[in-house]
Structure formats: structure tokens, C-alpha cells
Amino acid sequence: IKPRDLKAVLERMAELVASETQLEKDTGLTAAAAQKSKDDQVPFIEESLRYIHTHFEEKLNLEDVAKRVYINTQYFSRVFKRATGVTFTEYLNSLRVQAACNLLATTNYPAYRIANECGFSDPSYFSRVFLRYTEMTPQKYRRLHRDGTETEALEENQ
């Protein structure tokens, strides 16, 4: 073996070890940065959820909530879905439908008024969303709840 060939091989090996060490450091820093980023996301998600729960009956959209927590709309949308498991619209509609179920069970308000009080501007859209989430119309929900057969109906649907 020629001394210069041996020296070249040893230098290449030293460079590989150095680059692998640097890669491990970078990966470690990246993982730590990602964890810190996740930790930083929690407060603005929690704040946005509090805001949504307080104002769901108002005209509310993704842009308004993102602005409220000082986050870019697209970024907020991605982080919100990752944190909650559902899109902003699905979360908001689910919350509104829950409130509507409560009003249907406890009041005699017509469906259009319940839709308006739960944040739906269009009663027809409210009926479609309510049907999608509960697999029954608002009128059927009210009728079943008043008859005391709500649990039987829900068991039949499952």
C-alpha cells in the first residue's frame, strides 16, 4: 500500500465519521426543535378552542379564529386538524349540532330559530348538517326525544 493512498482512505473515513456525527447532532436538534414547536402550538390551539366554544353561535370562520390567535390561516388549519383530529368546520359543526340537540330537547323553538341560535345562517344547511351528524332530521330528533324513545332509536341506528 502506498502511503498517500492509505492517507487518502483515512481522510475519507474521517470525513464520513465527521459528517455522520454532524448529521446525528442536526437530527437531534431537529427532533428537539420539533418537540418545542409542538409544545408552542398547544397554547394557541387551546386559546382557539376556548374562543370557538364561547362564540360558536356567532358567524365564525377559520380566518377569524386564526387572526384571533395571530396565526397564518393555512398553518392554523393544518395544526388544528393535527391537534383535534378533525377539520375546523367539522369541529364547529359538531359543536353547533350538540347545542341544537340540547335546544331541540328542551325548548319548543322552531328549527329555523334553533339554527340561527346555534350559528347556522341557513336553516336548510342546518338541517343537512344535523342529518349528517345525527342521522336524523331535527324534527325526528325532537319527536324521539319527547317520546322517550331516544335511546331505542339510537340503538337501532347502531
Side-chain angles (χ1 to χ4, degrees), residues 4-157:
R4 68 180 158 175
D5 292 340
L6 179 61
K7 186 178 178 183
V9 168
L10 290 173
E11 286 175 354
R12 238 182 294 138
M13 288 178 63
E15 288 174 12
L16 285 172
V17 169
S19 67
E20 286 180 10
T21 303
Q22 186 61 40
L23 182 63
E24 287 175 5
K25 284 180 182 178
D26 291 346
T27 304
L29 292 174
T30 304
Q35 183 60 40
K36 180 163 179 16
S37 177
K38 284 181 183 178
D39 293 343
D40 291 345
Q41 293 170 2
V42 173
F44 83 77
I45 291 295
E46 289 174 356
E47 182 180 340
S48 65
L49 290 174
R50 276 194 299 276
Y51 184 78
I52 293 166
H53 280 264
T54 306
H55 299 279
F56 72 90
E57 69 279 346
E58 300 170 9
K59 183 179 179 189
L60 194 61
N61 61 39
L62 179 71
E63 293 80 18
D64 295 337
V65 178
K67 284 179 187 175
R68 179 89 177 159
V69 295
Y70 308 105
I71 302 292
N72 172 284
T73 304
Q74 290 81 15
Y75 177 70
F76 176 78
S77 177
R78 283 194 311 271
V79 173
F80 187 89
K81 181 164 184 172
R82 198 176 323 132
T84 62
V86 293
T87 66
F88 172 82
T89 303
E90 290 170 335
Y91 188 88
L92 182 60
N93 283 341
S94 175
L95 190 60
R96 288 175 170 172
V97 167
Q98 289 173 6
C101 286
N102 184 42
L103 288 174
L104 286 165
T106 60
T107 68
N108 289 323
Y109 296 159
Y112 70 87
R113 181 174 175 185
I114 290 174
N116 190 39
E117 290 195 16
C118 292
F120 291 99
S121 57
D122 180 10
S124 176
Y125 178 66
F126 162 68
S127 293
R128 288 193 310 271
V129 170
F130 192 91
L131 179 65
R132 187 175 338 131
Y133 281 83
T134 64
E135 298 181 354
M136 63 182 83
T137 64
Q139 293 75 18
K140 184 176 180 183
Y141 180 88
R142 175 176 272 160
R143 203 172 36 251
L144 289 174
H145 191 273
R146 288 210 174 131
D147 293 342
T149 58
E150 177 185 20
T151 54
E152 294 171 12
L154 290 175
E155 289 173 1
E156 288 176 16
N157 283 339

